[in-house]
Amino acid sequence: KYADRVFRQTDTKMTAEFADRLTDSMKRIEGITDPKQLQRAIMNKAGQMPEWAYQSMSKKTAEQLQDIAMAQVLMDISNEVPKSAWRKVSSIQAMSHLINIKTAARNILGNLSFSAAEKLANTVAVPIDIIASKFTGKRSLTTPQFKDTFKAGLDQARDSAFDAALGIDRTGINKGKYNVPIGGTFKKGSIGSSFEKIMSYELNVPDEFFKGQIYSDVLQQQMKMAGVTEPTADMIDYANYRAKYATFQDDSLPARILQGFKDVLNLAGGGEFKKGKSGIKTHEFGLGDFLIKYTTVPGNLISRSLEYTPAGLAKILTIANDAKLSNAVKQSEITMTIGRALTGTSMIGFAALLNRLGLLISEDKDRGKNAQALDQAEGLGNYKVNVTALERMLNGEDTKPQSGDLLQSYNWIEPLGVLLAIGAEVDKQISDKDKNAPTALFNIGNAAMEEVLDLPTLSV
């Protein structure tokens, strides 16, 4: 009945043969409790598997193996639902954008740098939490926890890699909600399916590693402050939220705005006409895919860029008025918001100093178009680090920019790169005595926006 409902939502009908096969699979899963038998059933269905996946499966409990077998059945349903040519075009477009070394490195380094920033903000927030506890009577944060967090991240990454190897998705099952996953676009064994698997290894596995680390850290902090050995549902939910926040996977306002913009643009498109992620009825592929293909990560990068500046303090009002949050979560979020704003502001000040020393370089916007084009041809452009000048500084030499200096872009550490751009522009505006405050603020905001728009996913 459940599978039939999924098929009807796509205006297709499930065949009797598939219904019988589905029923047999479910009976077999429910009837097996022995881990060895479950392993054999999973292997028979999965076909060829990497050796490490076999070894990983041998360490799982009967309950975990049943989840895997259930995920295989749910993926069968997803794969049986016909995929339109429009969705295939959309998937091919995404693969052409994302399957490359540069994207993989950007994803890992971006997660790594922002995870470090979150831990630093967490440390800065602890004294604020101590002060808040004088009024609330409770602590909500400790310094970042490191015990077993690396292992937790590794375990989560390994599970993600295992799912990619078998072509399944246990996300819904782990949450106790047996929802049919979106699934692959191309049939199992096809070239398209192989590329989808590569993309999953490239993007999902590193994300899950960082999510696992942060989840473990935040959960340990909450349990330590509450003096409990077992986490509550609220603690688990908050740890999940913080893990998504740190890996740019939460549902921020800029991300929702970009998604709404994309869904409106996709009205000029084709394929299935249904409710999009923003709630607007739209086509599954269209003009929006060419102009703003990705919405969640770019939108969240914009959000984080704001939250790590003094402007981020405005978020406190939203947190304080959110009736859904418990008092402990509110206190934790408010102190983290202050910690992030202070950390980001310190980074802006540090960037201003680097710019003054000549270690940050950018093109001169006041020059003519031809001069700016020449600057870009020589490696200038949006804000970059002068690597050669940095080496000279370490040797006690002059750091002023010189002909032949090597410049390296730092937009791969977004959103922290935005803070560096803001700091460099702050120094430039301070140095320019003729600029008034409104013009200076406009130029600083413009520098931040240019850095964000320099991202490959937003450059269009």
Side-chain angles (χ1 to χ4, degrees):
K1 284 182 178 179
Y2 182 60
D4 184 58
R5 190 160 66 246
V6 172
F7 275 81
R8 289 183 186 279
Q9 286 171 354
T10 58
D11 295 324
T12 53
K13 194 173 181 181
M14 181 170 58
T15 64
E17 291 79 12
F18 181 73
D20 289 342
R21 197 162 72 244
L22 199 62
T23 306
D24 288 343
S25 295
M26 286 303 301
K27 284 180 178 176
R28 192 162 55 250
I29 291 169
E30 290 176 347
I32 303 174
T33 54
D34 178 51
K36 296 288 184 187
Q37 286 183 306
L38 279 167
Q39 286 175 26
R40 282 195 292 272
I42 291 164
M43 287 188 289
N44 289 338
K45 195 167 188 62
Q48 192 172 1
M49 289 168 57
E51 183 60 34
W52 63 265
Y54 283 117
Q55 294 174 1
S56 177
M57 193 163 58
S58 66
K59 298 173 185 175
K60 297 189 183 298
T61 64
E63 187 179 0
Q64 289 172 323
L65 291 167
Q66 280 195 326
D67 279 351
I68 293 166
M70 175 67 80
Q72 287 181 314
V73 173
L74 293 175
M75 196 57 76
D76 279 347
I77 299 171
S78 176
N79 291 337
E80 192 72 13
V81 175
K83 309 297 189 299
S84 71
W86 294 96
R87 177 170 166 178
K88 290 177 181 176
V89 169
S90 181
S91 294
I92 291 169
Q93 182 195 30
M95 291 173 194
S96 69
H97 292 166
L98 302 175
I99 299 178
N100 56 73
I101 297 296
K102 190 175 180 180
T103 299
R106 215 181 248 274
N107 184 43
I108 294 169
L109 292 170
N111 275 325
L112 182 63
S113 61
F114 191 64
S115 293
E118 278 287 277
K119 289 190 184 299
L120 183 57
N122 188 161
T123 305
V124 172
V126 170
I128 301 162
D129 186 62
I130 293 171
I131 295 168
S133 69
K134 303 298 180 185
F135 300 94
T136 63
K138 289 183 179 179
R139 290 281 309 281
S140 66
L141 286 175
T142 67
T143 51
Q145 303 295 296
F146 294 96
K147 185 183 177 182
D148 296 331
T149 57
F150 184 83
K151 182 180 179 299
L154 209 57
D155 288 343
Q156 200 154 315
R158 194 180 289 115
D159 273 348
S160 178
F162 181 84
D163 283 8
L166 268 67
I168 60 174
D169 180 6
R170 281 180 286 163
T171 308
I173 291 175
N174 289 338
K175 292 178 181 175
K177 299 174 182 177
Y178 294 110
N179 294 322
V180 170
I182 295 171
T185 301
F186 300 95
K187 288 192 175 180
K188 190 176 179 180
S190 66
I191 295 173
S193 174
S194 298
F195 278 113
E196 285 182 315
K197 187 175 287 189
I198 291 169
M199 197 156 64
S200 185
Y201 279 127
E202 177 193 0
L203 301 177
N204 293 353
V205 174
D207 280 355
E208 290 304 309
F209 170 75
F210 288 103
K211 280 170 70 178
Q213 274 196 313
I214 293 152
Y215 174 86
S216 175
D217 173 14
V218 175
L219 199 61
Q220 284 185 58
Q221 287 191 48
Q222 292 181 93
M223 290 167 64
K224 188 174 180 180
M225 288 296 93
V228 296
T229 54
E230 290 294 326
T232 63
D234 275 351
M235 290 177 182
I236 291 169
D237 287 344
Y238 182 55
N240 274 317
Y241 162 72
R242 285 278 298 277
K244 285 184 176 181
Y245 178 94
T247 50
F248 315 110
Q249 294 179 13
D250 61 311
D251 193 23
S252 69
L253 178 61
R256 294 199 301 272
I257 290 170
L258 287 177
Q259 184 62 52
F261 181 49
K262 178 183 177 180
D263 286 345
V264 168
L265 289 172
N266 273 358
L267 289 169
E272 192 178 352
F273 190 72
K274 62 178 183 180
K275 191 179 286 187
K277 290 180 183 177
S278 67
I280 300 168
K281 268 206 158 188
T282 189
H283 291 289
E284 60 184 333
F285 183 79
L287 182 61
D289 286 273
F290 290 102
L291 294 181
I292 184 72
K293 176 75 175 175
Y294 313 101
T295 59
T296 303
V297 172
N300 286 332
L301 285 172
I302 294 169
S303 177
R304 304 299 174 267
S305 300
L306 283 170
E307 288 167 13
Y308 269 75
T309 68
L313 294 173
K315 189 180 177 183
I316 292 172
L317 296 174
T318 307
I319 298 166
N321 293 323
D322 194 338
K324 296 177 183 176
L325 300 179
S326 67
N327 289 334
V329 169
K330 278 186 181 181
Q331 184 173 324
S332 178
E333 272 297 275
I334 288 171
T335 51
M336 277 299 296
T337 298
I338 298 170
R340 287 167 185 143
L342 291 173
T343 301
T345 304
S346 300
M347 287 188 67
I348 291 170
F350 180 63
L353 175 62
L354 292 178
N355 191 75
R356 182 62 58 91
L357 293 171
L359 299 178
L360 296 185
I361 301 289
S362 68
E363 61 185 337
D364 188 346
K365 299 292 183 183
D366 294 329
R367 300 176 73 193
K369 286 186 178 179
N370 290 338
Q372 286 187 40
L374 182 61
D375 284 346
Q376 289 174 353
E378 292 181 342
L380 289 166
N382 285 349
Y383 291 96
K384 299 187 178 185
V385 176
N386 189 333
V387 178
T388 314
L390 183 61
E391 290 173 359
R392 288 200 297 270
M393 185 186 74
L394 295 174
N395 293 327
E397 300 172 12
D398 185 16
T399 58
K400 294 298 180 186
Q402 299 176 15
S403 178
D405 281 355
L406 174 65
L407 308 181
Q408 176 61 52
S409 172
Y410 52 68
N411 66 1
W412 48 269
I413 59 166
E414 301 301 6
L416 305 184
V418 175
L419 303 179
L420 296 180
I422 291 172
E425 191 63 33
V426 165
D427 179 57
K428 286 175 70 176
Q429 297 304 313
I430 290 171
S431 301
D432 190 345
K433 305 297 182 184
D434 296 329
K435 291 281 173 67
N436 55 40
T439 304
L441 287 172
F442 174 81
N443 289 338
I444 290 165
N446 191 54
M449 186 58 71
E450 282 189 357
E451 182 68 19
V452 169
L453 293 179
D454 199 38
L455 289 168
T457 50
L458 284 174
S459 58
V460 176

